[in-house]
Amino acid sequence: MPSTLRTHIKKEFLLIGLIFLFAYLCSVMFNLSESFFYFFSEYEKYNVDEVFIAINITGMVVFIYGLMRINFMSKEIKKRIEAEKTVDWISSHDVITSLPNQKFLDSFLSRHAENKQLANHAAFSIEINRFKDINDLLGYEHRNEIFKIVGQRISFIFPDNVFKLRGDEFLAFKSNKDKTDLFLLGERIVSSLCSPIPIEGFTFNIAANVGFSRFPEDSDDLRQVIQQSACALHMAKKAGREKVMGFIPAMQDNLLATALFRSDFKKALASKAFTVHYQPLVDLRTSKTVGFEALARWEVSPGKFTPPSLFIPLAEDMGLIPELTEQLFRLACLETLNWPAQITLSFNISPILLCNKLLAPSIISIMDEMGLAADRLEIEITESALFQDANAARYTLKKLRDAGIKIALDDFGTGYSSLSQLCNFQFDKLKIDKSFIDTFRDNEKQDKIVRSIISLAGSLGVKVTAEGIEYANQLELLKDLGCDIGQGYLLGRPAAKAIFHQVTSSIIYNFPLQKTEREMSSSPPF
């Protein structure tokens, strides 16, 4: 647009010059000065000469004004060109790091497709972690400052062809003509990015993962190479923080399988294909069933189940854990209404949900809607849930307890500060993790730990549940130690409907468990 306007002005200016030249030639050719003098003398009484002079002055003023307007418009055109350059720069660069963005990358790849500039190059996908912690502590201003430093550190390693993509991701290209050890280069990137970052008297540590792919060894399509490096990055993230991985074809198969798994999960959630199985909780003094724990189940084909240890983390990662929890909780409440009034329901809550202040009102609302009394529900949480946001967890647990709902601390003894949790939070029950029950008969240290937990719970007035009871001698010893409640295959397997029975002395000593059953029983139920 500006260049077109400039050309138009030049044409107009040239036209004015041509008109002036034509008038001048006519004046010379026809000796117009004498003719005008005679004409002005003849009609002096009409002041024609003064009118002519006024017209000439006006014309000169208009001409000068035109020149001034042309000069002004030229300056405006220059400003507009600069503004358009600025807008174009902003649209193709990340404002915080000043690095080219996705739009610039798309244009770059289009140019590369024509001239093949990047033969023998490697693509590095880089993702920065732990920015959420910094946001929570100091806000987005410091986050942006750290982004700038990260961009500078990456640019120092890769002087050219560094791009800031969506979220916390960067992309860089490196010439591989000298057959650089790309894995060592990736570790150098991680080491550089994870170095402490000082800002306003504080020192921050971030984490990074790196995935890389080679062009044209891994693919002769640069866009495909970038996808492959992102795939390697995904696998590096799954392996843990500060990991580096190079692309191999098997990764793509794994990523495709993950994508299909996510798709199947979404379909199953939409069609409400998830169900609940119930495992009995038995009072070890009376040998009677006092409650059932709800266990999430996903039957993908007749008799074939996907373990909760796979689909629960997936639901959390996809942000669908609230919807899944509500579906299963409603099913469990509906089943509980068919039980005797003294039988309770034990339901597990994801650590992510416990930090949501809307959890307690949601649970209470569903129970009111379905007519389930609050004293029939026991919510199980793990110690890890209390570390994510202690204040939010404390708020949620208080709301639940105030409503009359009981709280159980699951997997007790496997966390980092179990005893401190007993001081900071109020619980109605402790559940001894299966890993202790498996070996406490033959392992002196484990035996002492189990005895200590039971004794500690008794002194605090808190009940104890032993998980994973599979042998009769485990059961008898736990009874002798004063354990309150037992749970395990010896006392009852999970079933689609609650099965009530009383434990007797004739109970079978061993239950041969298939591998899939063990996986289901040992994985987090929900």
Side-chain angles (χ1 to χ4, degrees), residues 167-277:
D168 303 336
E169 293 186 22
F170 293 80
L171 176 71
F173 293 109
K174 168 72 171 64
S175 173
N176 197 32
K177 292 181 180 178
D178 54 358
K179 301 301 178 183
T180 303
D181 188 326
L182 301 179
F183 186 82
L184 288 179
L185 181 57
E187 289 190 327
R188 179 188 168 196
I189 297 170
V190 170
S191 176
S192 173
L193 297 181
C194 296
S195 298
I197 299 176
I199 296 180
E200 296 185 6
F202 295 94
T203 300
F204 298 99
N205 290 289
I206 60 174
N209 290 101
V210 176
F212 62 85
S213 182
R214 300 165 301 165
F215 176 82
E217 289 89 343
D218 294 319
S219 175
D220 58 1
D221 182 344
L222 189 55
R223 292 182 186 273
Q224 181 68 22
V225 169
I226 294 173
Q227 291 177 357
Q228 291 170 343
S229 68
C231 179
L233 171 63
H234 178 79
M235 300 305 295
K237 287 164 57 181
K238 289 183 68 175
R241 287 182 174 178
E242 302 182 17
K243 300 294 183 181
V244 178
M245 286 196 179
F247 174 78
I248 57 175
M251 289 181 176
Q252 214 150 25
D253 296 336
N254 185 286
L255 202 60
L256 178 60
T258 300
L260 291 173
F261 185 47
R262 293 167 74 93
S263 176
D264 290 343
F265 176 84
K266 276 189 173 181
K267 292 176 183 177
L269 189 62
S271 62
K272 298 185 177 180
F274 294 93
T275 59
V276 180
H277 283 199

Side-chain angles (χ1 to χ4, degrees), residues 275-335:
T275 59
V276 180
H277 283 199
Y278 304 90
Q279 186 171 29
L281 300 168
V282 177
D283 187 320
L284 298 187
R285 292 184 179 87
T286 64
S287 298
K288 292 182 179 180
T289 299
V290 293
F292 289 88
E293 181 177 358
L295 306 175
R297 293 293 183 260
W298 179 13
E299 191 172 11
V300 292
S301 61
K304 182 180 180 182
F305 291 85
T306 297
S309 57
L310 294 180
F311 69 80
I312 295 299
L314 178 66
E316 293 174 339
D317 182 57
M318 296 175 69
L320 296 174
I321 195 67
E323 186 176 346
L324 177 62
T325 300
E326 182 177 344
Q327 281 190 22
L328 296 173
F329 186 58
R330 285 182 178 277
L331 289 173
C333 287
L334 191 62
E335 172 68 15

